[in-house]
Amino acid sequence: MTDMAPRRRGRPARKDMDSGPSAQQKILESARAEFAERGYDKTSIRGIAKAAGVDPALVHHYFGTKDEVFAAAIEVSFEPALMLPALLADGMDGIGERLARYFIGIWENPVTRAPLLAIMRSALTHDAAAKVLRTFVLRRLLERIAEELDVPDPTFRAELAASHMIGIAFLRYVIKADPLASADSEQIVRMVAPTLQRYLTES
Amino acid sequence: MTDMAPRRRGRPARKDMDSGPSAQQKILESARAEFAERGYDKTSIRGIAKAAGVDPALVHHYFGTKDEVFAAAIEVSFEPALMLPALLADGMDGIGERLARYFIGIWENPVTRAPLLAIMRSALTHDAAAKVLRTFVLRRLLERIAEELDVPDPTFRAELAASHMIGIAFLRYVIKADPLASADSEQIVRMVAPTLQRYLTES
C-alpha cells in the first residue's frame, strides 16, 4: 500500500497522491473536522480530501466508502472510552463512582465533548451514521466492558449504565436544561454513582 | 381575535384568511408535521401555512414567531408527559416502576415516538430549538413533577430520572443498539424502576 507515490516533505500539493502515515493521519483529522462541522449528510469524500489537501482517490484507498471513513473518524473520538475496560479491571469496589467521574470528565472537556456531540447529531439525523455507530463502535465497546462484569446479562447492564450517562450528557450539554446544566459535576457523580454500581455489580 | 374573517365550512382556499379554532388546529398539525419531517432549520412559517392551506399572516397572527410556533407544536407532543404529575399524585409507592413503564410505553408507540424523536433531532441540530425546549417545555414539566416530590433538590432529582429515560430512548430507538434495542420492555422496567424510585423518593 506504499507504492502509490513517493513520500515527500512539507505540505502536499492538492491533487497529488501523497501517501504514508502522515497523509493517512491528515485525512482522519480532516474527516473528523468535516463530520463534526457539517454532519454526516453534508460531508463528502471530496470535501474531506480537499480539506486534507489530497486526492479523493487516496481517501478511498485508505478508508474505503464514506461509511468506513466515518467509522474510522469516530473511533478516534471514542479513544477516551477505550480506557473504560482498563478502569473496570482495577476492581469493582467504587467502580460506579469512578466511572461516573470519568464520564463526566470527558464531557466537561470541550476537546473531547465536541466530537461526541457531532456523533450524537449525525446518529440522530442519519440512519447510516446510526448504523455505523451501532455496528462498528458501540457494540465492540460494550462487549469489552461486559467481559469485565460478573452479573447476568452483562452487555445489557453495560448499556443501561451507558444510557444514563448519555441522557445526562444530552440534557446537560445539548439542551443545557437546568438544574442539571449548572449543577456541580460532583453533585451529579454522587447521585449517579450508586446507580452505575448497581447495574455493573449487583445480580 | 375572531374579527379577521368569517368562519366558513369546508376546506379553506389558499391565501384566504380563515380563522377560528379549526384553522388554528390545522396550523398546529401542519407545524408538527413540518418540524417532524424537515427539522427545525428547514421549516418555515410559509411552508407551515402552505401545508395548512392558510395565509402565512394567519400563522403569525395565532402563534407569532417561528420559535413560538415551534413551542406550540412540540407542546402537543408532550401531552403524554403532562400526565406525569397526575401519576405522581397517586403516591410514591412503586412510583419508579409505574413511571418507567409509562415512559417506555410512550416510546414503544410509533404515534407518540415520532414527534419526540423529531424534537430530539431539532434540539441537537439547532440551538434555537434547544432553547425553546429548555425554556418553554422541559423546565415547566420538571417543575410540575418536582412539586409532587418530598426530597432535597426535587427538580434536580426529576431531571436525573428524565435523563436516564431519555438516554434509554436514544440507544434503543435512535441508535437501535443491542441488547437494549431488542430487550423486552418489561426487562428494562425491572432494572430501571429501582433507579427512578431512589431518585424520586430517597433523600
Side-chain angles (χ1 to χ4, degrees), chain A residues 1-14:
Chain A
M1 297 294 170
T2 52
D3 59 356
M4 292 192 75
R7 295 179 59 182
R8 77 195 69 144
R9 293 160 202 277
R11 194 161 177 275
R14 278 185 195 168

Side-chain angles (χ1 to χ4, degrees), chain A residues 72-139:
Chain A
I74 69 178
E75 220 161 38
V76 181
S77 308
F78 276 87
E79 258 170 26
L82 296 178
M83 291 286 299
L84 289 180
L87 264 183
L88 290 162
D90 280 350
M92 289 295 138
D93 241 28
I95 186 66
E97 188 179 328
R98 292 206 304 285
L99 272 183
R101 188 170 291 120
Y102 181 75
F103 191 94
I104 298 273
I106 291 172
W107 281 93
E108 287 289 306
N109 180 348
V111 175
T112 41
R113 175 169 72 229
L116 292 173
L117 279 181
I119 292 165
M120 283 180 84
R121 200 173 287 129
S122 296
L124 253 172
T125 49
H126 211 286
D127 283 346
K131 189 181 168 188
V132 171
L133 182 57
R134 167 175 80 232
T135 315
F136 290 107
V137 185
L138 205 58
R139 178 143 200 96

